[in-house]
Amino acid sequence: NEARVLGRLNHGNLMTVYDFGVVDEMLFLITEHIEGPSLDQVLSRGVLPYSKAMEYAKDLASALDHAHGKGVAHKAVKASNILLDRKKRVKLIDFSIGKSFASQAPTHELNEEVHYLSPEAISGKSVLEVRSDVYSFGVLLLKCLTGMFPLDYARSGAPLQEYLGELYPLIFHCIRTAPEQRFSSMSEVLKGLEEVARKSRALQAGY
C-alpha cells in the first residue's frame, strides 16, 4: 500500500516514483535519477548560511507535510537521504517502505545517523510516526545551522538561543523527548517557519 501511495505523491521536493514491483519477494522502485551531492556531503564542508537553511527547511517541511497528508511517514529523515539536484533544490529520497521506526535504529556501535532517530524509535516503544518525522526534521535543521546534534549541544553548553534567534524555540519544540510535546504535524512546523521568516523580514525592514 505504501508503494502505491508513493507513486501518487506529487511534490517538487520529493523524489518521483514512476513504478514499483516485487521480484523474489523483494520490493523495487523505479524512480527519477537525481544528479547531485547529498546534504550530508554538503554539511561535511561546513554549516549552511541561515537563509539557505531556511529555504531548505521550508521545502522539506512542505514535502513531508504532503507525504503525511497521503498517509505515508518517511521514517528516515536525515542528511544522507536528501539530495541536491542540478538546480540546487533539495529532494527527499528513500522512504522506508514497510519498515518500522524501530528497525531503523542501528544495533551496532553508535553512529552519526542514530542521532536523527526519536527517543521512542530508539527504545522500540510505540511510535507516533508523524511526530517522529518531526523530531528528525528538528535534528536536521539544528545540524544544518550549527553542525551539532542535540547531544552535542547538551554537552557543549553553546549559547545557541542567541545564535538561532526565533528558530531556537521552533527547533527545540520539534525535538522534545516526549512525542506529545512536539508539533503534532509538519503543517504546524511549516507555519512556524513562515512566521519566523515573516519576523525576520520585518526586522530587516526596520519594523
Side-chain angles (χ1 to χ4, degrees):
N1 287 336
E2 282 184 303
R4 289 189 178 89
V5 172
L6 282 182
R8 295 198 297 269
L9 295 181
N10 182 20
H11 192 284
N13 300 106
L14 292 176
M15 178 182 67
T16 301
V17 176
Y18 297 119
D19 202 357
F20 69 93
V22 178
V23 174
D24 294 332
E25 299 184 353
M26 294 291 292
L27 176 70
F28 69 88
L29 301 177
I30 300 173
T31 70
E32 69 173 309
H33 175 64
I34 303 170
E35 290 188 18
S38 70
L39 184 55
D40 196 41
Q41 291 172 314
V42 173
L43 292 176
S44 70
R45 299 192 291 269
V47 300
L48 298 180
Y50 184 91
S51 59
K52 184 58 67 175
M54 280 291 289
E55 175 190 334
Y56 289 173
K58 287 191 285 186
D59 286 345
L60 290 169
S62 178
L64 284 167
D65 185 46
H66 176 74
H68 291 167
K70 300 293 185 181
V72 179
H74 189 277
K75 307 178 188 176
V77 177
K78 54 191 176 185
S80 59
N81 278 342
I82 298 165
L83 299 180
L84 274 66
D85 67 11
R86 290 181 176 180
K87 295 182 179 179
K88 304 300 181 184
R89 295 175 302 187
V90 286
K91 290 272 190 173
L92 187 58
I93 67 170
D94 197 22
F95 279 75
S96 297
I97 301 175
K99 296 180 181 179
S100 68
F101 273 93
S103 71
Q104 307 301 309
T107 56
H108 51 77
E109 183 179 357
L110 185 70
N111 64 25
E112 185 169 286
E113 294 191 350
V114 76
H115 289 284
Y116 290 100
L117 290 171
S118 65
E120 66 272 17
I122 293 173
S123 68
K125 294 179 181 178
S126 178
V127 175
L128 297 171
E129 294 185 344
V130 167
R131 296 196 190 201
S132 286
D133 273 355
V134 167
Y135 181 92
S136 301
F137 173 87
V139 172
L140 177 66
L141 185 50
L142 181 66
K143 179 70 171 176
C144 286
L145 286 164
T146 69
M148 292 192 289
F149 291 111
L151 187 58
D152 300 325
Y153 164 71
R155 290 171 174 170
S156 72
L160 289 186
Q161 189 164 2
E162 180 178 344
Y163 174 70
L164 295 173
E166 294 289 340
L167 274 178
Y168 180 89
L170 182 144
I171 289 173
F172 283 87
H173 194 174
C174 287
I175 63 174
R176 289 183 178 274
T177 301
E180 64 272 12
Q181 293 180 356
R182 299 177 203 143
F183 290 106
S184 64
S185 68
M186 288 307 302
S187 178
E188 287 187 3
V189 175
L190 188 56
K191 288 177 182 177
L193 288 168
E194 290 170 345
E195 179 63 14
V196 169
R198 185 193 65 77
K199 289 181 178 179
S200 179
R201 289 193 298 269
L203 187 62
Q204 291 174 3
Y207 295 140

